Amino acid sequence: MTETAAVKAALKTQAVETPSWAYGNSGTRFKVFAQAGVPRDPFEKLDDAAKVHEFTGVAPTVALHIPWDRVEDYTALGKHAEERGVKIGAINSNTFQDDAYRLGSVCHPDAAVRRKAVDHLLECVDIMDATGSKDLKLWFADGTNYPGQDDIRSRQDRLAEALAEVYERLGDDQRMLLEYKLFEPAFYTTDVPDWGTAYAHCLKLGEKAQVVVDTGHHAPGTNIEFIVATLLREGKLGGFDFNSRFYADDDLMVGAADPFQLFRIMYEVVRGGGFTPDVAFMLDQCHNIEAKIPAIIRSVMNVQEATAKALLVDGEALAAAQAAGDVLEANAVVMDAYNTDVRPLLREVREEMGIDPEPLKAYRASGWGERIVAERVGGRQAGWGA
Amino acid sequence: MTETAAVKAALKTQAVETPSWAYGNSGTRFKVFAQAGVPRDPFEKLDDAAKVHEFTGVAPTVALHIPWDRVEDYTALGKHAEERGVKIGAINSNTFQDDAYRLGSVCHPDAAVRRKAVDHLLECVDIMDATGSKDLKLWFADGTNYPGQDDIRSRQDRLAEALAEVYERLGDDQRMLLEYKLFEPAFYTTDVPDWGTAYAHCLKLGEKAQVVVDTGHHAPGTNIEFIVATLLREGKLGGFDFNSRFYADDDLMVGAADPFQLFRIMYEVVRGGGFTPDVAFMLDQCHNIEAKIPAIIRSVMNVQEATAKALLVDGEALAAAQAAGDVLEANAVVMDAYNTDVRPLLREVREEMGIDPEPLKAYRASGWGERIVAERVGGRQAGWGA
Amino acid sequence: MTETAAVKAALKTQAVETPSWAYGNSGTRFKVFAQAGVPRDPFEKLDDAAKVHEFTGVAPTVALHIPWDRVEDYTALGKHAEERGVKIGAINSNTFQDDAYRLGSVCHPDAAVRRKAVDHLLECVDIMDATGSKDLKLWFADGTNYPGQDDIRSRQDRLAEALAEVYERLGDDQRMLLEYKLFEPAFYTTDVPDWGTAYAHCLKLGEKAQVVVDTGHHAPGTNIEFIVATLLREGKLGGFDFNSRFYADDDLMVGAADPFQLFRIMYEVVRGGGFTPDVAFMLDQCHNIEAKIPAIIRSVMNVQEATAKALLVDGEALAAAQAAGDVLEANAVVMDAYNTDVRPLLREVREEMGIDPEPLKAYRASGWGERIVAERVGGRQAGWGA
Amino acid sequence: MTETAAVKAALKTQAVETPSWAYGNSGTRFKVFAQAGVPRDPFEKLDDAAKVHEFTGVAPTVALHIPWDRVEDYTALGKHAEERGVKIGAINSNTFQDDAYRLGSVCHPDAAVRRKAVDHLLECVDIMDATGSKDLKLWFADGTNYPGQDDIRSRQDRLAEALAEVYERLGDDQRMLLEYKLFEPAFYTTDVPDWGTAYAHCLKLGEKAQVVVDTGHHAPGTNIEFIVATLLREGKLGGFDFNSRFYADDDLMVGAADPFQLFRIMYEVVRGGGFTPDVAFMLDQCHNIEAKIPAIIRSVMNVQEATAKALLVDGEALAAAQAAGDVLEANAVVMDAYNTDVRPLLREVREEMGIDPEPLKAYRASGWGERIVAERVGGRQAGWGA
């Protein structure tokens, strides 16, 4: 009973950040299927994000992506958000869409291109100052496609130099979250391909540099929860970009492809003391073929369900079975939590939070989806601009 | 001596088909980097392809992609090609870029969408009639992103029905080449994910239906040369889409990522009697960051080098070692051929064919690259239109 | 209500075959950790298997492996089984442990070795006649480790010839189940590496030859449920070897690594009409570090839970959402079933079957585990003999 | 000319350490095929290793594995080696074959088991003192098979504690080389699964702790040369365990599966200043089906050929093309070196070193293979004892 109360209390404190770009159009290299009602500017993205928070109660912040969300007046943008009950979260940089970045950005062989890229990163920190964002999230598309194309080690040197300059610019309350990714869009080397590389750079930069784990950025077979446990043990887990994948960086709804993996990850978060505001829980998904706002609501709910199950693991029984070397019993303790249907519990949590116990139904009943289709006519739909 | 002559003779008969779309712009979902001098229409693509044939001597045909290469008058297009020394090759269908195809084409749950897709395929056969193309190459982006999204089996039924209708429309000398692909752009199921599925459909369709192997469309660890050997043994290998990859469908230059694999594939082609006009050797690549025409020339040369090495395998010595169960010797026979530097041999072949022994140097000296940059100004560069 | 009754009725008819070898010792190439109480002969294996059936109610048959389970008198062995409430199931051949098989068995370059291997397979059919087994399960370790080691295509010819001879020997009620596996113990080519190869051979052999899907035998990223759906559509799914894996052929308890995948597989079984006695549901696992009998009970329960969830999918709602192209709703219907805690339902099923609702607790309370440790002293523990 | 001389000079300094266990029997979990003539004790292994050095000229040291190579008198063993022209190299620990290690060794939940494991590691350092070995190579089979089985983070704490104790025991000239491996024999978590984990531990331990890269221990798609470049940049590359693989840890002859990858690795070694005695170049292979000594000779030659090609890369031309952003030219410079047939160069190197230019032919002509088959009769063949 008391335990259930504790689980509920924890779930009420959960915060999942949604990404502005997930509300816009996205696709594959083969096709971007436009959807009716998609936002035309950052303000409309925040409107949609506010709906996700309204109906889930646990999505209070919205990540921006620069330049996709560049506006004249970030104060006005922040005010727009707050009026709708949300805040601006992490600032995501983009050093992959300018023609200059064909061979890289901060790792480019040409110092002028690197300068341009670093300047963009510094601009992102300026925007953080304006928006009150705490986190600068860095994902670099840098890499090479062919053996020999560029010097692997020199690119690391350039990367280190760029990161150091940006790190120096960070304010006292600001962090740099460095993301790694195995491949895509680079197909031979990627300059930050794995957690080890991100970790090594963050270690040298200092306390304000931390690693962010995108759950879709690993080689097949990689044990992501091990990385989570390790980074927490090292004090270097800055946050997550949640999504799910069957193959590569598919960017499907988190929990859709392997809900058991998501549960294991959340278990290690809880186990390692990572269920705190110091670890940012962000979504980074592409809703290429499904309705976007409901997909994001569903994703938030999937994170909640995995978290609830993780919180329900009987720690004492588990520790006892582990200490006894009872493989089957230890596994059973974990599976008992996973096999629990936590949806009733989450319905209670929502009712206690004063929101509808069925976020998707409530969203659909709200008429928001129809309204944006009707109202957002004309203008240019938001997208990646790829 | 006589053996070298035979190898040379075989190499002179080689034909590698280049794809019209490789001359245009391509990219990833993150960015398409436009290149100066890229063709603006199918005629200019053929101009570029003719250059590849001029300097390699073994790229006599060009695959078209409909609608990217749709023109008013295919006879004029064919004449344009022939005047430049090349011919139109396979017709590639596209059922993935119309808004109607968000949930699939020939496998779509809605019969109207399937009708539209099949009509497009039939149109492709009409174009084949006009161009004299022998091969209809079918790659379907069909699939699903989420478990439950659609019924796997019903989609197979729909696929079979569509293929049957198109098969019926084929002329006596025309073939249907069915391509398979593990994933992308669909991320949960793909309706033709592997050679087994393509084979099963082709088997039911009949002799004019054959499987095409794209070397970048397999799961990690798949032994592609085994598939080649098996399909040849079954009489069902229709051709190749050559490219190379380190991770997924990276579409890099063939031979760039794993030249030993390409050699092993070509060895099985030779071994299985597949080095004939009945097997189509096509490139399907994306030169996202490198110069396109030189990259295609290089790719053709890579195929030639792998073929030359495959032809150099000492069959008698190999058979003897295999029969004796001498693992190391059998492997050594194969490695001896692979480790041979066949570039001098190919230089001789080219000289005997009356072309420059160094295709890339000759191309660069020709000034074509500079000329197209200067002349192809204005208009709209060809690309995927994604 | 009626629907729940139907689900329960279906679950009561379920039959999961357990493998005799899972009761014996197993390990990796690094170490076999022996466990106390492990059977010393096939009779004791059947004793253990009978316990699994006693406590689960759905494990009525036991697969044998020849020569590991070779006995003088198979009639006596069968009688021993039936006295304990179980029957002998599939006969599994072994053509990988004789010194003669270093370079293969039915695909070996030496006809004498092939003869030896085929004779063993024929002996297995003899044993089937004696035991009343209906299924001959064939897994071949055949393959090569090095490019060139042997001729891929000739090996296929030899395989086809061997299979044909064995097929001819089958009785009217007997089947040949051909298993495929990507790799291990062969590391370059495997002679039956994928479902396509197994399917192609079975197709030529005839109706009594069917494909068996071992859930651990695929390349990373392979969509197994797609294969299941396809084989059922082709009438060629003979059965399963269930186990789970995070990496390769790990042979962990089924449902332990990816319970959602197991559910998706069982859903396709149900959807495709495969939940019948014509499809054999077998376990093939290695309990290297955990207690064996409880692990097998747990595995049977995992299959039951996945099956229960699959049976609970609301087919009408799913079909409607799929027809409407409602991606999120279709996925939600499937996830609703998956997220259901079916353990209460299965407890009811067991009670209605007259067994303890908690098989593992009941087994532990039975004292069998302690008894075999005490009694099975001396002799030689069963294992793979590798 | 001078450049060729420099390449030759470098090649003459090369040293590839061969592993004692590769001379003994090995296999898979399915079968160990014994070979005639295999050594029966560590002395005979050294005899074979001396032959490899005699015929290649670049295999002067032999790694030992404890307890497989445990002897009464290590001084006698060392003298035996030196009399035959070789020396004892790295000491490899074994904490995976004692029954106590079922659930791990240095990471085991039971302190008594950890004590036993650490004592073994300390014993290995004692042996290093006796043999004059400089490197302690640590590979841990530790891990778990099932989610929940043990606590990931606690296991890291135990690992760190064990490593620290052993590190303290090292002499001034001794190093600890920590190996990582994705999976096998553990199938859910491995306690040192990737270079990042090994690096993080080594960083804390100090300068004498370095990472060893086994080329078969990565997830599919991992770019190994990137790891090599990164570890060299960090000053933490201790050495290699060379072998090759198509799938998992196949332990085939190095260079057999992907010779281009081996070349790329050796290029990064050369580029990063790693072609020095501070980086240990060791083989770690299993010759399950092929003749062992010739396979090892072949492996040493494969390393030589990859090294020769790496040394032949035209650094100036490469740097110029990279600086110019000329993707194709930079790649061409690397491929030119790779496509070179370096076997004539290596024959010259060998002749200049006073050995036969054809090591395999010379070995075969020596009669050693026949002699050991004839003489090594009786006794117990060396193997893993799994």
Side-chain angles (χ1 to χ4, degrees):
Chain A
M1 191 71 94
T2 316
E3 199 192 316
T4 303
V7 169
K8 282 183 179 178
L11 289 168
K12 288 171 195 168
T13 69
Q14 188 156 33
V16 178
E17 182 160 310
T18 71
S20 70
W21 55 96
Y23 298 96
N25 287 320
S26 62
T28 69
R29 61 176 169 144
F30 296 103
K31 172 71 175 172
V32 174
F33 291 102
Q35 293 190 12
V38 151
R40 278 108 22 115
D41 59 41
F43 294 89
E44 290 185 350
K45 292 181 191 173
L46 288 170
D47 293 342
D48 288 358
K51 288 291 158 184
V52 172
H53 183 47
E54 177 183 336
F55 292 107
T56 63
V58 294
T61 56
V62 189
L64 299 189
H65 183 112
I66 307 300
W68 299 341
D69 295 321
R70 194 176 272 149
V71 293
E72 291 285 310
D73 183 349
Y74 289 98
T75 310
L77 190 69
K79 203 179 156 201
H80 184 90
E82 290 188 31
E83 284 169 3
R84 280 145 190 82
V86 292
K87 292 193 177 184
I88 290 173
I91 300 299
N92 289 255
S93 62
N94 176 325
T95 53
F96 51 89
Q97 289 195 314
D98 192 284
D99 283 333
Y101 299 142
R102 184 172 55 93
L103 302 180
S105 65
V106 292
C107 303
H108 196 287
D110 183 341
V113 177
R114 297 201 296 275
R115 185 68 256 154
K116 177 188 177 77
V118 173
D119 284 344
H120 169 70
L121 303 182
L122 296 174
E123 178 206 357
C124 286
V125 186
D126 292 340
I127 293 172
M128 292 168 70
D129 290 341
T131 58
S133 298
K134 299 301 177 202
D135 290 336
L136 174 64
K137 182 138 64 73
L138 302 176
W139 169 64
F140 296 107
D142 286 64
T144 65
N145 276 5
Y146 291 101
Q149 177 185 324
D150 200 1
D151 188 69
I152 294 174
R153 182 162 174 162
S154 301
R155 292 179 75 94
Q156 288 296 307
D157 294 338
R158 297 169 201 150
L159 173 64
E161 191 181 328
L163 291 176
E165 182 176 347
V166 178
Y167 187 86
E168 283 307 304
R169 168 67 183 79
L170 292 175
D172 288 344
D173 288 344
Q174 294 175 333
R175 297 191 303 177
M176 169 189 286
L177 301 184
L178 183 56
E179 194 163 335
Y180 58 91
K181 183 175 184 180
L182 180 67
F183 80 100
E184 197 216 15
F187 295 128
Y188 167 53
T189 58
T190 294
D191 292 307
V192 191
D194 53 20
W195 79 266
T197 306
Y199 166 77
H201 281 284
C202 287
L203 208 60
K204 277 164 202 150
L205 289 168
E207 285 194 358
K208 290 186 284 185
Q210 299 211 289
V211 180
V212 64
V213 175
D214 183 306
T215 49
H217 286 190
H218 304 84
T222 302
N223 186 321
I224 300 174
E225 58 267 33
F226 180 91
I227 295 173
V228 170
T230 298
L231 284 173
L232 278 169
R233 185 175 175 271
E234 301 284 339
K236 279 293 181 193
L237 180 66
F240 288 94
D241 263 12
F242 280 127
N243 52 62
S244 75
R245 53 78 76 90
F246 286 96
Y247 304 97
D249 187 28
D250 306 344
D251 282 332
L252 302 176
M253 296 188 299
V254 60
D258 189 346
F260 184 44
Q261 182 189 56
L262 181 61
F263 159 76
R264 300 194 309 264
I265 289 171
M266 290 309 304
Y267 172 74
E268 291 305 329
V269 167
V270 171
R271 158 65 181 94
F275 193 55
T276 74
D278 289 342
V279 174
F281 297 89
M282 302 172 281
L283 301 183
D284 182 11
Q285 307 180 152
C286 296
H287 309 294
N288 297 342
I289 60 167
E290 69 271 24
K292 293 169 198 298
I293 299 174
I296 297 170
I297 292 174
R298 175 78 203 211
S299 302
V300 171
M301 293 170 68
N302 285 352
V303 173
Q304 286 183 294
E305 291 173 24
T307 306
K309 292 180 178 192
L311 290 166
L312 285 174
V313 170
D314 182 340
E316 278 183 43
L318 181 61
Q322 290 174 341
D326 188 339
V327 176
L328 289 171
E329 182 57 24
N331 176 246
V333 171
V334 164
M335 296 310 293
D336 275 348
Y338 178 67
N339 286 326
T340 302
D341 188 342
V342 294
R343 292 173 299 175
L345 178 76
L346 281 161
R347 279 192 286 264
E348 287 176 32
V349 166
R350 288 184 197 110
E351 283 178 337
E352 292 172 16
M353 291 173 76
I355 61 172
D356 195 292
E358 297 283 357
L360 274 167
K361 276 188 197 160
Y363 169 75
R364 287 193 179 115
S366 76
W368 181 258
E370 291 76 11
R371 182 174 150 190
I372 56 178
V373 168
E375 293 184 356
R376 293 177 184 167
V377 176
R380 189 173 172 186
Q381 290 193 322
W384 290 18
Chain B
M1 192 74 91
T2 317
E3 198 192 315
T4 302
V7 169
K8 282 183 178 179
L11 289 167
K12 288 171 194 167
T13 70
Q14 188 156 33
V16 179
E17 182 161 311
T18 71
S20 71
W21 55 95
Y23 299 97
N25 288 321
S26 61
T28 69
R29 61 174 168 147
F30 296 103
K31 172 71 175 172
V32 174
F33 292 102
Q35 293 190 13
V38 152
R40 277 107 24 115
D41 59 40
F43 294 88
E44 291 184 350
K45 292 181 191 173
L46 289 170
D47 293 343
D48 288 357
K51 288 292 158 183
V52 172
H53 184 48
E54 177 183 336
F55 292 107
T56 63
V58 293
T61 56
V62 189
L64 298 189
H65 184 111
I66 307 300
W68 299 340
D69 296 321
R70 195 176 271 149
V71 293
E72 291 286 309
D73 182 349
Y74 289 98
T75 310
L77 190 70
K79 202 178 156 202
H80 184 90
E82 290 189 31
E83 283 169 3
R84 279 145 191 83
V86 292
K87 292 193 177 184
I88 290 173
I91 300 299
N92 289 256
S93 63
N94 176 325
T95 54
F96 51 89
Q97 289 195 314
D98 192 284
D99 284 332
Y101 299 143
R102 184 173 54 93
L103 302 179
S105 65
V106 293
C107 303
H108 196 287
D110 182 342
V113 177
R114 298 201 297 275
R115 185 68 255 155
K116 177 188 177 76
V118 173
D119 284 345
H120 168 70
L121 303 182
L122 297 174
E123 178 205 357
C124 287
V125 186
D126 292 341
I127 294 172
M128 293 168 70
D129 290 342
T131 57
S133 298
K134 299 301 177 204
D135 290 336
L136 173 65
K137 182 139 62 74
L138 301 176
W139 169 65
F140 296 107
D142 287 63
T144 65
N145 276 5
Y146 291 101
Q149 178 186 325
D150 200 1
D151 188 70
I152 294 174
R153 183 162 174 163
S154 301
R155 292 179 75 95
Q156 288 296 305
D157 294 339
R158 297 169 200 151
L159 173 64
E161 192 181 329
L163 291 175
E165 182 174 348
V166 178
Y167 188 87
E168 283 308 303
R169 168 68 184 80
L170 292 174
D172 289 345
D173 288 345
Q174 293 175 334
R175 297 191 303 177
M176 170 190 285
L177 301 184
L178 183 56
E179 195 163 334
Y180 59 91
K181 183 175 182 179
L182 180 67
F183 80 100
E184 200 220 13
F187 295 128
Y188 167 53
T189 59
T190 295
D191 292 306
V192 190
D194 54 20
W195 79 266
T197 306
Y199 167 78
H201 281 284
C202 288
L203 208 61
K204 278 164 202 152
L205 289 167
E207 284 194 359
K208 291 186 285 186
Q210 299 211 290
V211 181
V212 63
V213 175
D214 183 306
T215 48
H217 286 190
H218 303 84
T222 303
N223 186 322
I224 300 175
E225 58 267 31
F226 180 91
I227 295 173
V228 170
T230 299
L231 284 172
L232 278 169
R233 186 175 174 272
E234 300 285 339
K236 279 293 181 193
L237 181 67
F240 288 94
D241 263 11
F242 280 128
N243 51 62
S244 75
R245 54 79 77 91
F246 287 95
Y247 304 97
D249 188 28
D250 307 342
D251 282 334
L252 302 176
M253 297 189 297
V254 59
D258 190 346
F260 184 44
Q261 182 189 56
L262 180 62
F263 158 76
R264 299 194 311 264
I265 289 170
M266 289 310 303
Y267 172 73
E268 292 305 328
V269 167
V270 171
R271 159 64 182 93
F275 193 56
T276 74
D278 289 342
V279 174
F281 297 89
M282 301 172 281
L283 301 184
D284 182 12
Q285 306 179 153
C286 295
H287 309 294
N288 297 344
I289 60 167
E290 69 271 24
K292 293 169 197 297
I293 300 174
I296 298 170
I297 292 174
R298 175 78 203 213
S299 302
V300 171
M301 293 170 68
N302 285 353
V303 173
Q304 286 183 294
E305 290 173 24
T307 307
K309 292 180 179 192
L311 291 166
L312 284 174
V313 171
D314 183 339
E316 278 184 42
L318 181 60
Q322 290 174 341
D326 188 338
V327 176
L328 290 170
E329 183 58 24
N331 176 246
V333 171
V334 164
M335 295 311 293
D336 275 349
Y338 178 68
N339 286 326
T340 302
D341 188 343
V342 294
R343 292 174 299 175
L345 178 76
L346 281 161
R347 280 192 285 265
E348 287 176 34
V349 166
R350 289 185 196 109
E351 283 178 336
E352 293 172 17
M353 291 172 76
I355 61 171
D356 195 293
E358 298 284 358
L360 274 167
K361 275 188 198 161
Y363 169 75
R364 286 193 178 116
S366 76
W368 181 257
E370 291 76 11
R371 184 175 148 190
I372 57 178
V373 168
E375 294 184 356
R376 292 177 184 168
V377 176
R380 190 172 170 186
Q381 290 192 323
W384 290 19
Chain C
M1 192 75 89
T2 316
E3 200 192 314
T4 303
V7 169
K8 283 183 177 177
L11 290 168
K12 288 172 194 167
T13 69
Q14 187 156 33
V16 178
E17 181 161 311
T18 72
S20 70
W21 54 96
Y23 299 96
N25 288 321
S26 62
T28 68
R29 60 175 168 145
F30 296 102
K31 172 71 175 171
V32 174
F33 292 102
Q35 293 190 13
V38 151
R40 278 106 24 115
D41 60 40
F43 294 89
E44 291 184 349
K45 292 180 192 175
L46 288 170
D47 293 343
D48 288 356
K51 288 290 159 186
V52 172
H53 184 49
E54 178 183 336
F55 292 106
T56 63
V58 294
T61 57
V62 189
L64 299 188
H65 184 112
I66 307 301
W68 298 341
D69 295 320
R70 195 176 269 150
V71 293
E72 291 285 310
D73 183 348
Y74 289 98
T75 310
L77 190 68
K79 203 179 156 204
H80 183 89
E82 291 188 31
E83 285 170 1
R84 279 145 192 83
V86 292
K87 292 194 176 184
I88 290 172
I91 300 300
N92 289 257
S93 62
N94 176 326
T95 55
F96 51 88
Q97 289 194 315
D98 193 284
D99 283 333
Y101 299 142
R102 184 173 54 93
L103 303 180
S105 65
V106 292
C107 302
H108 196 286
D110 183 342
V113 178
R114 297 200 297 274
R115 185 68 256 153
K116 176 188 178 77
V118 172
D119 284 345
H120 168 72
L121 302 182
L122 297 174
E123 179 205 357
C124 286
V125 186
D126 292 341
I127 293 171
M128 291 168 70
D129 290 343
T131 58
S133 299
K134 300 300 178 203
D135 290 336
L136 173 66
K137 183 137 63 72
L138 302 177
W139 169 66
F140 297 106
D142 286 63
T144 65
N145 276 4
Y146 292 102
Q149 178 187 324
D150 200 1
D151 188 71
I152 294 174
R153 183 163 174 160
S154 301
R155 292 179 76 94
Q156 288 296 305
D157 293 340
R158 298 169 200 149
L159 173 64
E161 192 181 327
L163 291 175
E165 182 175 346
V166 178
Y167 188 86
E168 283 308 304
R169 168 68 182 79
L170 292 175
D172 288 344
D173 289 342
Q174 293 175 335
R175 297 191 302 177
M176 167 189 287
L177 302 184
L178 183 56
E179 194 164 334
Y180 59 89
K181 184 176 183 179
L182 180 68
F183 80 101
E184 198 215 15
F187 295 127
Y188 167 53
T189 59
T190 294
D191 291 307
V192 190
D194 53 20
W195 79 266
T197 306
Y199 167 78
H201 280 284
C202 287
L203 207 61
K204 277 165 203 150
L205 290 166
E207 284 193 359
K208 291 187 283 186
Q210 299 210 288
V211 180
V212 63
V213 175
D214 184 305
T215 48
H217 286 189
H218 303 84
T222 303
N223 186 320
I224 300 175
E225 59 267 31
F226 180 91
I227 296 172
V228 169
T230 299
L231 285 172
L232 279 169
R233 185 174 174 273
E234 301 284 339
K236 278 294 181 194
L237 180 67
F240 288 94
D241 264 12
F242 280 128
N243 51 62
S244 75
R245 52 78 78 90
F246 287 96
Y247 304 99
D249 188 28
D250 307 342
D251 282 334
L252 303 177
M253 297 188 298
V254 59
D258 190 347
F260 183 45
Q261 182 189 57
L262 181 61
F263 158 76
R264 297 192 312 263
I265 290 171
M266 290 310 302
Y267 171 74
E268 292 304 329
V269 167
V270 171
R271 159 63 183 94
F275 193 56
T276 75
D278 289 342
V279 175
F281 297 89
M282 304 172 280
L283 301 183
D284 182 10
Q285 307 179 152
C286 294
H287 308 294
N288 297 344
I289 60 166
E290 70 271 24
K292 293 169 197 299
I293 299 174
I296 298 169
I297 292 174
R298 174 80 203 210
S299 302
V300 171
M301 294 170 68
N302 285 352
V303 174
Q304 286 183 294
E305 291 174 22
T307 307
K309 292 180 178 193
L311 291 166
L312 285 174
V313 171
D314 183 339
E316 278 183 44
L318 181 60
Q322 291 174 341
D326 189 338
V327 175
L328 289 171
E329 182 57 25
N331 176 245
V333 170
V334 165
M335 295 311 293
D336 274 348
Y338 178 67
N339 286 326
T340 303
D341 188 344
V342 296
R343 293 173 299 174
L345 177 78
L346 280 161
R347 278 193 285 266
E348 287 177 32
V349 166
R350 289 185 195 109
E351 282 178 337
E352 293 172 17
M353 292 172 76
I355 62 173
D356 194 292
E358 298 283 357
L360 273 167
K361 277 191 198 159
Y363 169 75
R364 287 194 177 115
S366 77
W368 181 257
E370 292 74 13
R371 184 174 149 191
I372 56 179
V373 168
E375 292 185 357
R376 292 176 184 169
V377 175
R380 189 175 173 184
Q381 291 193 319
W384 290 19
Chain D
M1 192 71 94
T2 317
E3 199 192 314
T4 303
V7 169
K8 283 184 179 178
L11 290 168
K12 288 171 194 167
T13 69
Q14 188 156 33
V16 179
E17 182 161 311
T18 72
S20 71
W21 55 96
Y23 299 97
N25 287 322
S26 62
T28 68
R29 60 175 169 144
F30 297 102
K31 172 72 175 171
V32 174
F33 292 102
Q35 293 190 13
V38 151
R40 279 106 24 113
D41 59 41
F43 294 89
E44 291 184 349
K45 292 180 192 175
L46 289 170
D47 293 344
D48 288 357
K51 287 291 159 183
V52 172
H53 184 48
E54 177 183 337
F55 292 106
T56 63
V58 294
T61 57
V62 189
L64 299 189
H65 184 111
I66 307 301
W68 299 341
D69 295 321
R70 196 175 270 150
V71 293
E72 292 284 312
D73 184 348
Y74 289 98
T75 311
L77 190 68
K79 202 178 157 202
H80 184 90
E82 290 188 31
E83 285 168 2
R84 279 145 190 84
V86 291
K87 292 195 176 183
I88 290 172
I91 300 299
N92 289 257
S93 63
N94 177 326
T95 54
F96 52 88
Q97 290 195 314
D98 192 284
D99 283 333
Y101 299 142
R102 184 173 54 92
L103 303 179
S105 65
V106 291
C107 302
H108 196 287
D110 182 341
V113 178
R114 297 200 296 274
R115 183 70 256 153
K116 177 188 177 78
V118 172
D119 284 345
H120 169 71
L121 302 183
L122 296 174
E123 179 205 356
C124 286
V125 185
D126 292 341
I127 293 171
M128 291 168 71
D129 290 342
T131 57
S133 298
K134 301 299 177 205
D135 290 336
L136 173 65
K137 183 138 62 73
L138 302 177
W139 169 65
F140 296 107
D142 286 63
T144 65
N145 275 5
Y146 291 102
Q149 178 187 323
D150 200 2
D151 188 70
I152 294 174
R153 183 162 172 161
S154 300
R155 292 179 76 94
Q156 287 296 306
D157 294 338
R158 297 169 200 151
L159 173 64
E161 191 181 328
L163 291 175
E165 182 175 348
V166 178
Y167 188 86
E168 282 308 304
R169 168 67 183 82
L170 292 175
D172 289 345
D173 288 343
Q174 293 175 334
R175 296 191 304 177
M176 167 189 288
L177 301 184
L178 183 56
E179 195 163 335
Y180 59 90
K181 184 176 183 179
L182 180 67
F183 80 100
E184 198 216 15
F187 295 128
Y188 167 55
T189 58
T190 295
D191 291 307
V192 190
D194 52 21
W195 78 266
T197 306
Y199 167 77
H201 281 284
C202 287
L203 207 61
K204 276 164 205 152
L205 289 167
E207 284 195 358
K208 291 187 283 186
Q210 299 211 288
V211 181
V212 64
V213 175
D214 183 306
T215 49
H217 285 191
H218 304 83
T222 302
N223 186 321
I224 300 175
E225 59 266 31
F226 180 91
I227 295 173
V228 169
T230 298
L231 285 172
L232 278 169
R233 185 174 174 272
E234 301 284 339
K236 278 295 181 192
L237 180 67
F240 287 94
D241 263 12
F242 280 128
N243 52 61
S244 75
R245 52 79 77 89
F246 287 96
Y247 303 99
D249 188 28
D250 306 342
D251 282 334
L252 303 176
M253 297 188 298
V254 59
D258 190 346
F260 183 44
Q261 183 189 58
L262 181 61
F263 158 76
R264 298 192 312 263
I265 289 171
M266 290 310 302
Y267 172 73
E268 292 304 329
V269 167
V270 171
R271 159 63 183 94
F275 193 56
T276 75
D278 289 341
V279 175
F281 298 88
M282 302 173 279
L283 301 184
D284 182 11
Q285 307 180 152
C286 294
H287 309 293
N288 297 343
I289 60 166
E290 69 271 24
K292 294 170 196 298
I293 299 174
I296 298 169
I297 292 174
R298 174 79 202 212
S299 302
V300 171
M301 293 168 70
N302 285 352
V303 173
Q304 287 183 294
E305 291 173 22
T307 307
K309 292 179 178 193
L311 291 165
L312 285 174
V313 171
D314 183 339
E316 278 182 43
L318 181 59
Q322 290 174 341
D326 188 339
V327 176
L328 289 170
E329 182 57 26
N331 176 247
V333 170
V334 164
M335 297 311 293
D336 274 349
Y338 178 68
N339 286 325
T340 302
D341 188 343
V342 295
R343 292 174 299 175
L345 178 77
L346 281 161
R347 278 192 286 266
E348 287 176 32
V349 166
R350 289 184 196 109
E351 282 177 336
E352 294 172 15
M353 291 171 77
I355 62 173
D356 194 293
E358 298 282 356
L360 274 167
K361 276 190 197 160
Y363 169 74
R364 287 194 177 113
S366 77
W368 181 257
E370 292 75 12
R371 184 175 149 191
I372 56 179
V373 168
E375 293 185 356
R376 293 178 184 167
V377 175
R380 188 175 174 185
Q381 290 193 321
W384 290 19

